Amino acid sequence: MAEIVNMPRLSDTMEEGVVAAWLKNVGDKVEEGDILAEIETDKATMEFESFQSGVLLHIGVQEGETAPVDQLLCIIGEEGEDISDLLNGDSSNSSNSEEVSLEKEESSDTSSNNASNTEMPEGVIIVTMPRLSDTMEEGTVASWLKSEGDAVEEGDILAEIETDKATMEFESFNSGTLLKIGIQEGETAKVDALLAIIGPAGTDVSGIDMDENAKAPAPKKETKKEEAPKSEAKKEAAPAASHSSSTTSSSSNSSGRIFASPLAKKMAQDKGIDLSQVSGSGENGRIVKSDIENFKPSAGGNAAASSFVAVGTETFEEIPNSQMRKTIAKRLGESKFTAPHYYLGLDLDMDNAIASRKAINELPDTKISFNDMVIKAAAMALRLHPKVNTQWTDKNTIVAKHIHVGVAVAVDDGLLVPVLPFADQMSMQQIGAKVRELAGKARNKKLQPDEMQGSTFTISNLGMFGITEFTSIINQPNSAIMSVGAIVQKPVVKNGQIVVGNVMKITLACDHRTVDGATGAAFLQTFKSYIENPIVMYV
């Protein structure tokens, strides 16, 4: 006799579902335990198993369509069976289901009103007994895979729940700590009864009345506890027989799809096991937990050569964030998400700069770096382009008449930006001496607060690490920051000839609220004229 299969409730908060894909077509034979469809809930896409055997006679919800819980999903029956009465009566059935749902809503409203007397702690989530099949009215907790106090991640298997047709794994759709178990192993409860409470660790949930939410009849402890070992014995006995066959016979249908429980998939992923090499002992060859636990890689020549089983454990180390790290994260986050950044890049011919630096460093007691030349050129360019030397406020744009250049310095805990005051008035040799002094203080954690305040423009140089090009986040309240790359040799065209040149890339990040594109481009052109002809910086 044909049976109607309704849209199931696959999560505790699911109100409607979307059919992501049908794995059976009308006319296909269906066995109990076969995967009928993939259904997208409000939290995940899950496989929906058939609890009937027969032929798929009708599909009520097409791929990509959305339907509320309990609406007709499909009809399964005997081949050639007349289902016109079921299809014609669908509207009346749906109205009846609406009345039933209204009654359920009224009863749930009553219970929620009663529960509202107790204020719910912040972050606490009530997990109710899910409806895991279209005919399920109550469920029995066969086993808990988490204990009170355990950490729970989204997707973890919380418990195995026995429905009226099968025992199924129930995944958590929330992350937190399992604060309370409302239904013990072996106990039975109605759908929507309080199953568990998840929330932040240490939260007091003693004020939540467990009995008030539990709408189940008296628990059937003795009966279920006697049945549980039998089911476990079946599960343990099955793998021994299944693994005697070749492991290359995978649990898949003609389309190559592998059927495995969510827990089995997670265990296989953690252990690096290829599910196509596992033979399933569950219904219709479905791979279950015990199959993964008892799996042994094939010792065959070709199979052993083509398969890889990862060995090792995933480990993490938690390092507390220092106050410096927290400050960096806060300030850079504020800058990136409040200032509209845009970037201007430029290639610089460094041949003259290299020759000038070599000549300067040959003088007695004189030593400058390319970074010193960059700072000097930027400071002088800021004199001619004061709009780059600005700050944005909600009321006005502040133009700094002085030029204080911040120089980013990497330290063990992060990044510090000591400031060179009035950098435009300093010689390159003075700039170099001051930078070395401040960088040494930064690395020894001896920088004073006033030595890191008041910058109007910032330079970040990673050329010494071999980085040729990068972008930086603006050091607010500055309006711009210059990123300086390494000098590299590459083919360039000079006087119509291809020759080897020394090129340095720079990138200017600008706040579009204060610095327009043309303004930033004009600044870079002036900077380029200084850095490519260092002699003009002495005039």
Side-chain angles (χ1 to χ4, degrees):
M1 180 177 178
E3 292 185 61
I4 291 178
V5 179
N6 293 325
M7 174 67 74
R9 178 180 294 170
L10 297 175
S11 80
D12 53 320
T13 59
M14 178 178 172
E15 299 295 335
E16 58 183 20
V18 179
V19 177
W22 279 100
L23 304 182
K24 297 287 185 179
N25 299 316
V26 173
D28 286 357
K29 188 176 180 180
V30 178
E31 296 292 336
E32 181 179 350
D34 283 359
I35 306 298
L36 281 178
E38 292 182 338
I39 296 178
E40 183 179 351
T41 73
D42 55 336
K43 295 178 178 176
T45 299
M46 304 179 66
E47 298 172 337
F48 176 55
E49 297 182 10
S50 173
F51 298 95
Q52 295 88 18
S53 296
V55 174
L56 183 58
L57 302 175
H58 173 75
I59 289 178
V61 183
Q62 301 300 320
E63 288 186 359
E65 293 184 351
T66 303
V69 170
D70 292 335
Q71 179 173 310
L72 186 146
L73 181 66
C74 64
I75 299 177
I76 296 176
E78 298 178 359
E79 186 173 1
E81 186 175 353
D82 183 11
I83 58 172
S84 56
D85 290 340
L86 292 177
L87 293 175
N88 293 334
D90 181 42
S91 59
S92 61
N93 290 338
S94 63
S95 64
N96 291 335
S97 65
E98 289 177 3
E99 294 176 2
V100 173
S101 64
L102 286 174
E103 292 175 1
K104 289 183 178 180
E105 288 177 6
E106 291 175 0
S107 62
S108 65
D109 287 342
T110 303
S111 63
S112 64
N113 289 335
N114 294 334
S116 65
N117 295 329
T118 302
E119 184 177 353
M120 189 68 66
E122 184 178 355
V124 168
I125 298 169
I126 299 294
V127 180
T128 58
M129 174 67 75
R131 179 180 294 172
L132 297 175
S133 77
D134 53 316
T135 59
M136 177 179 172
E137 297 295 333
E138 61 181 23
T140 301
V141 177
S143 65
W144 279 99
L145 303 183
K146 296 285 186 179
S147 303
E148 288 186 1
D150 285 357
V152 178
E153 297 293 333
E154 183 178 349
D156 284 359
I157 306 300
L158 278 180
E160 293 181 335
I161 296 178
E162 182 181 349
T163 72
D164 55 337
K165 295 179 178 177
T167 298
M168 303 179 67
E169 296 167 337
F170 177 54
E171 296 183 11
S172 172
F173 297 95
N174 308 286
S175 297
T177 299
L178 183 56
L179 303 173
K180 188 70 176 177
I181 290 177
I183 304 170
Q184 302 300 320
E185 289 186 359
E187 292 184 352
T188 301
K190 295 284 188 182
V191 169
D192 293 334
L194 191 150
L195 179 66
I197 300 176
I198 293 176
T203 303
D204 182 13
V205 294
S206 58
I208 300 176
D209 190 348
M210 307 296 288
D211 296 333
E212 181 180 284
N213 292 277
K215 297 174 282 187
K220 306 173 184 179
K221 294 183 179 178
E222 296 180 359
T223 305
K224 296 302 175 186
K225 284 186 177 178
E226 291 174 1
E227 292 177 358
K230 294 180 182 179
S231 63
E232 289 176 3
K234 291 180 181 178
K235 289 182 181 178
E236 293 173 0
S242 66
H243 287 290
S244 63
S245 62
S246 173
T247 58
T248 58
S249 60
S250 63
S251 304
S252 60
N253 59 14
S254 58
S255 65
R257 180 179 177 81
I258 298 174
F259 298 123
S261 70
L263 179 59
K265 289 180 180 177
K266 186 176 187 304
M267 292 175 63
Q269 182 180 7
D270 292 342
K271 295 185 177 183
I273 296 176
D274 183 0
L275 286 174
S276 64
Q277 303 296 317
V278 181
S279 180
S281 62
E283 293 179 339
N284 300 292
R286 185 176 176 84
I287 299 171
V288 295
K289 173 184 175 183
S290 57
D291 297 325
I292 303 300
E293 292 176 337
N294 294 284
F295 174 75
K296 295 181 179 179
S298 171
N302 293 334
S306 61
S307 63
F308 168 75
V309 178
V311 178
T313 58
E314 294 181 350
T315 58
F316 299 91
E317 179 185 3
E318 292 188 3
I319 301 175
N321 292 326
S322 64
Q323 291 303 315
M324 181 185 294
R325 198 78 247 171
K326 292 177 183 178
T327 302
I328 291 171
K330 180 181 179 182
R331 293 195 60 191
L332 293 184
E334 289 173 350
S335 176
K336 186 65 176 178
F337 299 120
T338 59
H341 287 54
Y342 73 92
Y343 305 94
L344 301 172
L346 201 62
D347 287 351
L348 303 176
D349 180 354
M350 297 297 288
D351 285 349
N352 288 339
I354 291 173
S356 297
R357 176 177 178 264
K358 181 179 179 182
I360 293 170
N361 286 346
E362 289 177 352
L363 298 174
D365 301 323
T366 304
K367 183 174 179 62
I368 65 170
S369 68
F370 291 114
N371 194 52
D372 303 334
M373 301 174 77
V374 168
I375 294 171
K376 179 63 176 180
M380 293 181 65
L382 287 170
R383 285 182 190 168
L384 302 179
H385 302 278
K387 289 184 179 179
V388 180
N389 203 46
T390 54
Q391 299 177 13
W392 169 267
T393 68
D394 292 336
K395 293 183 178 180
N396 47 43
T397 298
I398 301 173
V399 181
K401 299 297 183 179
H402 56 280
I403 297 171
H404 292 353
V405 177
V407 181
V409 176
V411 295
D412 291 341
D413 290 339
L415 190 71
L416 294 177
V417 185
V419 177
L420 300 179
F422 306 104
D424 58 318
Q425 302 175 21
M426 303 169 71
S427 67
M428 281 185 277
Q429 189 173 355
Q430 290 170 332
I431 288 173
K434 190 65 175 177
V435 168
R436 286 191 293 274
E437 176 193 345
L438 293 174
K441 285 185 176 181
R443 296 188 182 98
N444 294 325
K445 299 182 179 181
K446 293 182 179 180
L447 268 180
Q448 299 302 309
D450 60 341
E451 293 175 316
M452 295 184 288
Q453 295 175 356
S455 66
T456 60
F457 184 84
T458 306
I459 293 174
S460 179
N461 190 341
L462 293 179
M464 66 286 293
F465 298 106
I467 302 300
T468 58
E469 184 179 9
F470 68 103
T471 59
S472 302
I473 298 175
I474 296 171
N475 180 33
Q476 288 190 335
N478 297 174
S479 289
I481 183 171
M482 180 182 288
S483 305
V484 182
I487 299 174
V488 294
Q489 288 191 328
K490 59 191 301 185
V492 297
V493 178
K494 289 187 177 182
N495 301 321
Q497 301 292 322
I498 298 177
V499 297
V500 176
N502 294 282
V503 178
M504 182 174 74
K505 285 182 176 289
I506 60 168
T507 305
L508 184 70
C510 302
D511 184 343
H512 218 319
R513 297 174 299 181
T514 51
V515 182
D516 292 329
T519 303
F523 167 81
L524 285 184
Q525 289 300 320
T526 301
F527 174 84
K528 176 182 174 73
S529 67
Y530 284 138
I531 203 73
E532 290 185 347
N533 301 281
I535 192 172
V536 301
M537 290 190 281
Y538 288 96
V539 178

